[in-house]
Every structure is written in structure tokens, then in C-alpha cells.
Amino acid sequence: MFKPRFPTPDTPVLTAHTPAAPPTDSSPVPASVPAPAGLVARLPRSTGAAVALAAGGVAGALALASIAVSLLLAVAVTAVALSVSGLVVLFLVRTLRDEINHH
């Protein structure tokens, strides 16, 4: 009589597909030119890439330097706070000792 109809999804249903075969390169590779290896292969090949690499290095060095300076500043502020609180405690102990000895 009545057949139930299920709602259709809003997004398309993905089906499995077979990937295309990679293209084959039939051109011969000259044997006289060796492929660059190691660090030489990673060097930038244009002026813009070299400038970007240098700017990234400078930015990284500045970031590390700012972190180091902030850590040193935090250590210095902590040392000053501890020395001031130590002096206050020393003053209070001497005052209390003088009060006990005079009475």
C-alpha cells in the first residue's frame, strides 16, 4: 500500500573510485648530469626564495631572542622581589628581638 521513503542526504554520497594511472615519462635521462643531492638540492633557486629564507631566519632569531630576554627579565624581577621580602623579614625579626630583649 504505502512504501516508506527515506530522506535523501543533502551532501552527495561519495563512491569509491579507482585512481588514474600515473603518467609515464618516456624521455631518457642524460647520464652525464648527476641529480643534485643533499643540501645542494634544498638551496633556493631564485632571489625571492633566498630573500624569503633569510627573512624567515631573521624572524626566527628575533623570536628566540625575545623569549630569552623575557625569561631573563622574569628571573631578575623574581630575584629582586625575593631579596626585598628577605630584607623585610630580617627587619621584622630584628625589631621583634629588640622588643623581647628590652622588656
Side-chain angles (χ1 to χ4, degrees):
M1 186 164 170
F2 291 111
K3 282 189 168 182
R5 300 184 85 194
F6 297 104
T8 58
D10 293 336
T11 57
V13 177
L14 300 176
T15 58
H17 67 282
T18 58
T24 57
D25 188 14
S26 61
S27 62
V29 177
S32 63
V33 180
L39 189 60
V40 176
R42 296 174 188 251
L43 289 177
R45 290 175 170 71
S46 67
T47 308
V51 170
L53 184 65
V58 169
L62 287 176
L64 288 176
S66 67
I67 291 171
V69 167
S70 65
L71 285 174
L72 289 174
L73 185 61
V75 168
V77 167
T78 304
V80 168
L82 286 174
S83 63
V84 167
S85 62
L87 289 175
V88 169
V89 168
L90 182 65
F91 175 74
L92 291 175
V93 166
R94 284 184 179 174
T95 305
L96 183 62
R97 187 180 298 157
D98 289 343
E99 285 291 322
I100 290 174
N101 287 337
H102 287 316
H103 287 17

